[in-house]
Amino acid sequence: MEIPYTVKPRPDTGLYNAKVGIWLFLASEVMLFGALFSSYILLRVGAPDGFWPDVSTGWPHGLLNIPIGTFNTAVLIASSVTVVMAWAALKAGNFAKFKGFMIFTVICAFSFLGIKSYEYNEKFTHYVVRMKDGTAVTGHFDHEFLHGFLDKANTRRDQKNAGLREANAKAKQEGKAPKELLSHLSNRFLTLEKFGEENVESVKMLVDVPSAFRYPVGMKPPAVGDGSKGSEHGEHAEPGGHFEKEVKLADVQSIAAFIPSTATFFAIYFTMTALHGLHVLGGALVLGYFAFFGRKMWHQEPERLTNRVEVAGLFWHFVDLVWIFLFPVVYLL
Amino acid sequence: MNTSTAHAPAHSTASAHGADHGHHEHHEPGFWQKYIFSTDHKVIGIQYAVTSLLFLLFGFLLMMAMRWQLAYPGKPIPVIGHALQAALGDDMANNGVMQADLYNVFGAMHGTIMVFLAIVPILFGAFGNYVTPLQIGAPDMAFPRLNMASYHLYFLGGIVMLASFFIPGGAAKSGWTSYSPLATINDPVHVINGQTLWLIGMVLLITSSLLGAVNFITTIIQMRAKGMTWMRLPFFVWAQFVTAFLLLLAFPPLEAAGIMQLVDNLLKTSFFLPSGLVVNGQQLAVSGGGSPLLWQHLFWFLAHPEVYVLILPAMGIVSEVIANNTRKPLWGYKSLVYATLSIGFLAFIVWAHHMYLTGMGTRISTFFQTTTMMISIPSVIILTALFISLWGGSIRFNTPMLFALAFLPMFGIGGLTGLPLGFNASDIILHDSYYVIAHFHYVVAPGTIFGVFAGLYFWYPKATGRMMNETLGKIHFAGSLLFMNMIFAPMFIQGLHGMSRRMYDGGSTYFGSGVGLDQHILNLNISITHAAAGLGFFQLFFIFNFFSSLVWGKRVTSDNPWQATTLDWQTPTPPPHGNFTTEPVAFRGPYEYSVPGAKTDFTPQNQAG
């Protein structure tokens, strides 16, 4: 038995099966991402008034790295061009050229993912500190302070774990349940509780200076733009810069990294970009498969391989298109 | 390039096809390849049928346990009560008595299983898979391996749903609608709880349906036999076509919502959690700012089109059976097709009529009230056309026809009782009462399930080569019709008296609280439960008939025992891999029964001249 129109188009529709299939699949993908974009709009319109990271939450602005995002957009667009060139090379019967363009496409895809994970890490080490008086600041922990803290904390945890391991070995002999070991801390995902466990009284922060943020009571908002950066009291910091600040943990309500649970903006940002990232990964694996393992099919059924590349290319354009919408929506607007 | 032209697909003739077959398959496929990892649409259809019928039975049993609790609140469940306690723990069934949590679990899972694991798979997966390629004259689906993957994903989703009963905290218990914030906060003790598995299971089922929908639409567009123009497609195929589009476009928003709720539950985000949410007197430690209404919009954006997924294929089956057994063409074939397409379009803009009472605003309610009234027009067109089709026919009252005939008034009752729910003024009173339960069960249970039975009795001889027993079938029909109505008709009365759904001890609450429900309304709970047991009893006739006919059923004497016109009956019985022995060509419309001057009272589509 043979399934008709797997390679040659059906005369009355002018399409081969997989092309119909991929367009239908893309229609469903439009509905998937469409639902997420709609959710974005509804959540943003419904967000409480006020400036994030104020307690009344509000909607954060300008927290994503626009230059890097722009570069990543260019990377993805470039890959969309080369995937067409790869398909055109196959149409012209040049497998070597196809392979070159396709490998370049896949490199672009993985570069995109690499850059995206750098951005993710940037967010995981960026913090919002909410104070008990209802105000809040955002920023990073001072490098020197942080490493001093991490060294001390992890040494203590290692010592404690050594003791726990001994106790667990004993417990195992006696048939008791072992106790869980303490995990190492890193500069990601720190919380007030984790600082509390290490008996830290205050943390040293490099507080961000976008003008819209609120500052703790008793601190004047920095006078923006007179050029002397990083002053102790923040009066002379410029936008995009930061100033140092010692924050007493007794005054702090919570410390949270820029992770999904911190604000609805991050929730939808991470959900949408991660889902898009999964699509990039899936597409890259398929395109890479054609580049590296397509030769056999090229010799047996060249038309079939060309069709497959075309269909995968359509998917790749869609993935690109989603990003073209995502970038302005989450980075710029 | 030479190689590719050699592989160019061709409509193989009978002999060429046979030769092809022998040439490519050097060995007989083993058990696993033949029954588990088969890519043959007919085997996959049967896999779907068997699995979904088992889920249908399981969903029914969950309901029986709930019915016991409603009729005899606080009394141990007979037979299975202590087994439930042993399997699910004291929190769920202490001393065999159904606890509130267990009622909620069974309620949520009854809905989920019936809709997503029983009815959709049997209509779309089983009948769609088995019959559609045959009716359009195709050798198989356009993507046979994708088809296999659809079934396996469906099966996996079912396993995840079943497994969720046995994890600590039990299965999902926030209703089949899984409204947030309830679905997020109702089991704070367990990180991976029933709701988590529900969501994972749903994502698997949704993916399965999406792949299936892509496959069906491609197959119907690309694989129609020569001469099988759009207006020569049997109505069943049209119904499947529109159903596939509904699944394709309505399911992804629920997938998005499912992902968001999963993130809410696991990563503590606030997509659906509003600011200042207080649970058990404590403010919830989440960032807030989310919208519970967002979940409801996304959920009903799927779940309303889903209602038409549940009914359109059943209408397709009923149409085939009616045309065949009245021995005359369907009345108004084109109206049926256009009405179905209209339903397919309107189904996407009626969803918020499930949300009149959420406070979303009267203007939006008015819009959705209008579209809801509009969608009843094509539904009535379909029903009317089917009724008129009966007029003047020489009707054969065999078992499939009896079920098809019963479908019409049952669906009619279900549909008409939906109108008061569609008007937002009357919905205020009826919302969340037993009236709603009665309404949609009339559509799905005596409606769709009767359509399913009609289809099972109708195509059984094609799939097995043997007829099902007519006497047992008629007993099954009579009992089912009687008890279905004894179950659901009283629920209208209960609902109109104000009895609320989703209350685990409905009977005793109303009895004790002085709400003022008359005793005879509460007594209906008992009679309904007895009727449900009666319904279960009469299904035994079907189960016995289904299996015993495999062995003792009367062998069919021809490939076309019902003397039908469509291409599915012009194949060998059961159809071999590849379906047709000669290339099918359609020369005429699908329902040429009793054509004046013809030799027989049916003229198959592939008969020339």
Side-chain angles (χ1 to χ4, degrees):
Chain A
M1 180 198 65
E2 289 236 24
I3 306 287
Y5 314 120
T6 49
V7 180
K8 293 276 181 208
R10 180 182 163 110
D12 59 349
T13 62
L15 300 163
Y16 53 88
N17 294 343
K19 209 167 185 177
V20 179
I22 195 73
W23 277 112
L24 292 167
F25 177 69
L26 292 184
S28 89
E29 291 275 88
V30 166
M31 295 304 285
L32 177 67
F33 281 99
L36 286 167
F37 278 108
S38 310
S39 303
Y40 175 92
I41 294 169
L42 200 137
L43 289 169
R44 180 163 172 176
V45 168
D49 289 334
F51 293 114
W52 198 85
D54 204 347
V55 221
S56 59
T57 58
W59 198 260
H61 287 270
L63 294 179
L64 301 178
N65 194 330
I66 294 174
I68 285 190
T70 312
F71 179 70
N72 235 357
T73 310
V75 169
L76 217 48
I77 291 177
S79 77
S80 231
V81 174
T82 52
V83 84
V84 179
M85 314 264 271
W87 172 69
L90 274 193
K91 275 277 179 192
N94 189 339
F95 188 82
K97 201 169 157 195
F98 153 78
K99 194 167 174 177
F101 277 122
M102 202 50 119
I103 289 173
F104 183 81
T105 308
V106 173
I107 290 173
C108 282
F110 282 103
S111 310
F112 176 88
L113 291 175
I115 294 167
K116 200 83 209 112
S117 41
Y118 169 78
E119 274 189 88
Y120 273 20
N121 190 51
E122 230 183 15
K123 295 290 154 283
F124 297 157
T125 57
H126 200 167
Y127 289 87
V128 51
V129 178
R130 294 200 158 92
M131 309 304 237
K132 284 184 178 155
D133 62 9
T135 60
V137 290
T138 64
H140 295 83
F141 293 112
D142 177 73
H143 190 78
E144 229 167 277
F145 157 77
L146 189 69
H147 280 271
F149 163 75
L150 289 177
D151 284 347
K152 222 171 111 188
N154 289 334
T155 319
R156 186 188 74 83
R157 284 168 182 245
D158 283 340
Q159 287 166 353
K160 188 103 194 265
N161 281 346
L164 280 174
R165 271 196 205 93
E166 262 174 48
N168 281 347
K170 209 180 260 172
K172 199 178 174 187
Q173 282 173 348
E174 292 164 15
K176 285 183 198 157
K179 279 189 184 148
E180 215 176 304
L181 297 180
L182 298 170
S183 56
H184 266 206
L185 296 180
S186 77
N187 60 347
R188 289 182 284 272
F189 313 123
L190 289 171
T191 59
L192 182 60
E193 290 70 35
K194 282 178 185 159
F195 284 114
E197 281 169 28
E198 307 301 328
N199 294 320
V200 177
E201 281 179 359
S202 67
V203 293
K204 199 171 179 187
M205 287 197 72
L206 301 173
V207 177
D208 298 330
V209 191
S211 53
F213 286 7
R214 290 259 215 116
Y215 296 93
V217 175
M219 258 183 71
K220 277 186 281 179
V224 174
D226 75 350
S228 53
K229 198 174 171 182
S231 127
E232 175 73 23
H233 301 290
E235 273 104 359
H236 306 296
E238 59 182 24
H242 51 254
F243 60 91
E244 286 180 13
K245 170 73 188 161
E246 191 87 14
V247 181
K248 284 207 176 65
L249 291 186
D251 300 333
V252 170
Q253 176 83 38
S254 72
I255 296 176
F258 285 5
I259 52 173
S261 58
T262 302
T264 304
F265 167 75
F266 291 118
I268 194 116
Y269 162 73
F270 278 109
T271 305
M272 289 176 92
T273 51
L275 194 65
H276 175 258
L278 283 178
H279 280 75
V280 172
L281 183 65
L285 291 178
V286 171
L287 295 178
Y289 177 80
F290 293 150
F292 293 106
F293 300 99
R295 187 174 291 278
K296 195 174 158 204
M297 185 180 269
W298 175 249
H299 289 306
Q300 289 168 351
E301 300 168 274
E303 231 178 316
R304 193 152 170 224
L305 181 70
T306 314
N307 286 348
R308 282 188 166 193
V309 170
E310 185 183 12
V311 164
L314 283 171
F315 175 78
W316 193 249
H317 291 318
F318 171 79
V319 172
D320 190 18
L321 190 68
V322 169
W323 181 256
I324 300 287
F325 279 95
L326 257 181
F327 175 65
V329 166
V330 293
Y331 283 73
L332 303 180
L333 289 177
Chain B
M1 284 297 170
N2 280 337
T3 40
S4 76
T5 43
H7 277 259
H11 289 292
S12 45
T13 58
S15 55
H17 172 85
D20 258 16
H21 196 78
H23 181 70
H24 284 298
E25 312 259 330
H26 290 292
H27 60 282
E28 189 67 11
F31 171 82
W32 288 93
Q33 221 183 338
K34 202 169 170 187
Y35 295 109
I36 310 295
F37 293 100
S38 173
T39 55
D40 184 340
H41 73 98
K42 298 177 294 298
V43 177
I44 295 172
I46 291 168
Q47 287 174 330
Y48 265 115
V50 172
T51 321
S52 53
L53 281 172
L54 287 173
F55 274 117
L56 191 67
L57 180 65
F58 182 62
F60 176 82
L61 294 176
L62 294 181
M63 182 277 286
M64 276 310 295
M66 292 163 70
R67 281 301 336 165
W68 175 267
Q69 168 68 10
L70 285 171
Y72 307 105
K75 300 218 176 95
I77 307 169
V79 190
I80 56 163
H82 290 280
L84 283 176
Q85 185 182 8
L88 304 174
D90 295 349
D91 297 346
M92 291 290 178
N94 198 12
N95 290 323
V97 178
M98 178 175 272
Q99 305 297 304
D101 264 0
L102 186 61
Y103 186 86
N104 291 341
V105 165
F106 278 15
M109 296 310 283
H110 167 75
T112 305
I113 286 172
M114 284 308 204
V115 171
F116 296 110
L117 285 162
I119 302 294
V120 174
I122 200 164
L123 288 174
F124 191 64
F127 286 111
N129 247 314
Y130 198 95
V131 179
T132 308
L134 294 177
Q135 284 198 335
I136 64 173
D140 205 314
M141 298 286 272
F143 308 114
R145 274 184 293 178
L146 200 64
N147 203 14
M148 177 180 77
S150 295
Y151 173 74
H152 287 163
L153 282 168
Y154 156 67
F155 190 78
L156 202 61
I159 296 289
V160 170
M161 290 289 187
L162 288 181
S164 73
F165 280 95
F166 301 101
I167 66 166
K173 42 183 167 293
S174 308
W176 81 286
T177 55
S178 281
Y179 277 6
S180 277
L182 180 63
T184 300
I185 60 169
N186 75 357
D187 192 355
V189 185
H190 306 100
V191 181
I192 304 290
N193 53 34
Q195 191 62 29
T196 318
L197 292 197
W198 187 88
L199 289 164
I200 293 170
M202 282 306 294
V203 168
L204 290 169
L205 295 175
I206 291 170
T207 311
S208 156
S209 287
L210 287 179
L211 297 181
V214 167
N215 211 343
F216 271 77
I217 300 172
T218 309
T219 304
I220 295 171
I221 292 177
Q222 291 284 98
M223 313 275 282
R224 281 168 292 123
K226 211 178 275 177
M228 183 60 83
T229 57
W230 288 95
M231 281 300 160
R232 281 180 185 169
L233 288 177
F235 179 65
F236 176 84
V237 177
W238 272 109
Q240 290 287 338
F241 188 65
V242 174
T243 303
F245 265 107
L246 291 176
L247 288 173
L248 183 79
L249 301 177
F251 249 139
L254 183 65
E255 190 154 30
I259 292 168
M260 285 192 271
Q261 195 177 76
L262 200 60
V263 176
D264 264 6
N265 293 2
L266 295 180
L267 298 182
K268 306 295 169 212
T269 56
S270 303
F271 284 118
F272 305 124
L273 304 179
S275 302
L277 191 63
V278 173
V279 179
N280 293 335
Q282 292 238 319
Q283 184 155 350
L284 212 61
V286 292
S287 63
S291 166
L293 269 189
L294 175 60
W295 168 268
Q296 299 189 20
H297 278 297
L298 292 173
F299 180 84
W300 287 113
F301 189 85
L302 155 85
H304 199 80
E306 182 81 2
V307 174
Y308 295 96
V309 170
L310 298 177
I311 198 69
L312 285 178
M315 286 170 165
I317 294 169
V318 166
S319 308
E320 298 301 308
V321 174
I322 284 182
N324 177 256
N325 287 306
T326 53
R327 314 306 293 162
K328 61 195 272 290
L330 278 182
W331 190 88
Y333 168 82
K334 279 192 178 172
S335 325
L336 283 171
V337 169
Y338 292 130
T340 308
L341 290 170
S342 312
I343 286 182
F345 171 72
L346 289 169
F348 285 103
I349 49 170
V350 298
W351 78 89
H353 66 212
H354 295 267
M355 299 164 60
Y356 288 151
L357 264 67
T358 57
M360 63 182 177
T362 47
R363 273 190 207 157
I364 301 179
S365 292
T366 309
F367 172 82
F368 283 102
Q369 172 177 293
T370 312
T371 53
T372 304
M373 291 307 123
M374 278 162 66
I375 203 170
S376 61
I377 297 170
S379 311
V380 169
I381 290 175
I382 293 176
L383 201 58
T384 311
L386 291 177
F387 267 119
I388 300 176
S389 297
L390 303 175
W391 189 261
S394 50
I395 299 176
R396 301 189 302 206
F397 288 99
N398 47 34
T399 310
M401 187 57 172
L402 288 173
F403 276 107
L405 286 174
F407 169 93
L408 300 177
M410 294 295 108
F411 172 73
I413 293 172
L416 289 173
T417 53
L419 293 177
L421 296 169
F423 287 113
N424 56 50
S426 42
D427 181 57
I428 292 173
I429 304 158
L430 299 171
H431 189 90
D432 250 359
S433 73
Y434 262 78
Y435 183 91
V436 180
I437 304 228
H439 153 65
F440 70 73
H441 278 90
Y442 255 103
V443 176
V444 180
T448 299
I449 294 181
F450 277 13
V452 166
F453 282 134
L456 285 171
Y457 284 99
F458 188 62
W459 276 292
Y460 190 90
K462 178 48 70 182
T464 63
R466 291 174 187 270
M467 306 293 282
M468 282 175 88
N469 185 297
E470 274 290 303
T471 313
L472 288 174
K474 280 173 180 159
I475 295 172
H476 172 218
F477 166 74
S480 298
L481 181 66
L482 176 70
F483 284 116
M484 281 282 194
N485 283 288
M486 283 178 65
I487 293 170
F488 296 116
M491 289 187 188
F492 284 122
I493 300 164
Q494 289 186 317
L496 288 169
H497 278 79
M499 195 167 136
S500 176
R501 63 192 284 205
R502 299 190 206 278
M503 293 184 74
Y504 94 99
D505 57 350
S508 59
T509 304
Y510 280 109
F511 185 70
S513 65
V515 177
L517 272 189
D518 291 346
Q519 188 60 43
H520 74 271
I521 299 299
L522 293 180
N523 286 347
L524 288 176
N525 274 336
I526 298 172
S527 71
I528 292 172
T529 301
H530 291 174
L535 180 65
F537 172 73
F538 276 94
Q539 301 319 301
L540 297 177
F541 289 92
F542 169 73
I543 296 169
F544 177 75
N545 196 355
F546 188 86
F547 288 107
S548 66
S549 297
L550 284 176
V551 188
W552 299 304
K554 199 170 69 188
R555 266 185 200 286
V556 290
T557 46
S558 93
D559 288 333
N560 190 358
W562 305 112
Q563 297 165 314
T565 51
T566 45
L567 290 182
D568 43 335
W569 298 99
Q570 321 308 328
T571 62
T573 306
H577 198 50
N579 296 341
F580 293 90
T581 44
T582 56
E583 184 201 340
V585 179
F587 293 100
R588 54 190 73 243
Y591 304 113
E592 301 221 343
Y593 288 104
S594 309
V595 179
K599 261 182 246 154
T600 51
D601 73 342
F602 67 105
T603 317
Q605 279 193 282
N606 60 348
Q607 186 173 308

